[in-house]
Amino acid sequence: DDFFISIYAGSSVWSDVGKDTSLWKMVLTYPGGGEARPISIQKVKSNPLQRMFYPYVDKWSHTYEARFDKFLPEGLKEFSLSFVGIPATSKLVWKGLKPVPTDRGEIVRKTKTQKIR
């Protein structure tokens, strides 16, 4: 499971999530107690296409790609991605996921605005 993440903070110290010394820890959870930490977090430079699709990404944003082991079970209806740290906690929640067949015979989970494989 992969996530594209954009963070804005007044200081680069506050937006750093990819190092062991970071103020933030990232956790993927789902109801029933499942929890995982990313296997990799890479800081990436945003490109014009990403800025077009994600209007909140701008020249002051810090963008990352976070990768988790295949973690989310099939048939899942909800999950969350949390950033936990001393300064604050932020939780992003995906609800209403439902399986959708594709023309290739695969099943993908999606929300109203995005597909999640």
Side-chain angles (χ1 to χ4, degrees):
D1 296 310
D2 296 295
F3 293 86
F4 175 76
I5 300 158
S6 176
I7 298 172
Y8 169 79
S11 164
S12 61
V13 173
W14 290 93
S15 63
D16 183 16
V17 297
K19 296 180 181 176
D20 290 338
T21 58
S22 172
L23 297 171
W24 304 103
K25 300 299 176 208
M26 193 181 313
V27 181
L28 185 64
T29 59
Y30 65 89
E35 180 176 295
R37 298 205 186 264
I39 57 173
S40 69
I41 302 172
Q42 292 184 324
K43 189 168 188 172
V44 295
K45 186 171 179 153
S46 62
N47 60 48
L49 183 62
Q50 290 166 328
R51 289 191 296 274
M52 182 180 77
F53 279 111
Y54 306 108
Y56 55 85
V57 175
D58 58 26
K59 65 182 180 180
W60 296 285
S61 299
H62 298 265
T63 51
Y64 299 88
E65 290 177 355
R67 174 163 285 178
F68 293 82
D69 277 331
K70 191 66 177 165
F71 172 73
L72 299 174
E74 293 300 321
L76 189 66
K77 303 277 190 236
E78 175 181 332
F79 71 91
S80 64
L81 181 64
S82 299
F83 298 87
V84 180
I86 293 171
T89 296
S90 181
K91 185 175 189 176
L92 307 170
V93 178
W94 284 261
K95 291 185 176 185
L97 302 171
K98 57 185 175 182
V100 177
T102 68
D103 60 346
R104 297 181 302 215
E106 300 173 312
I107 298 292
V108 295
R109 296 180 301 253
K110 76 172 195 171
T111 64
K112 293 178 184 173
T113 58
Q114 69 187 77
K115 288 185 180 179
I116 302 169
R117 291 190 191 262

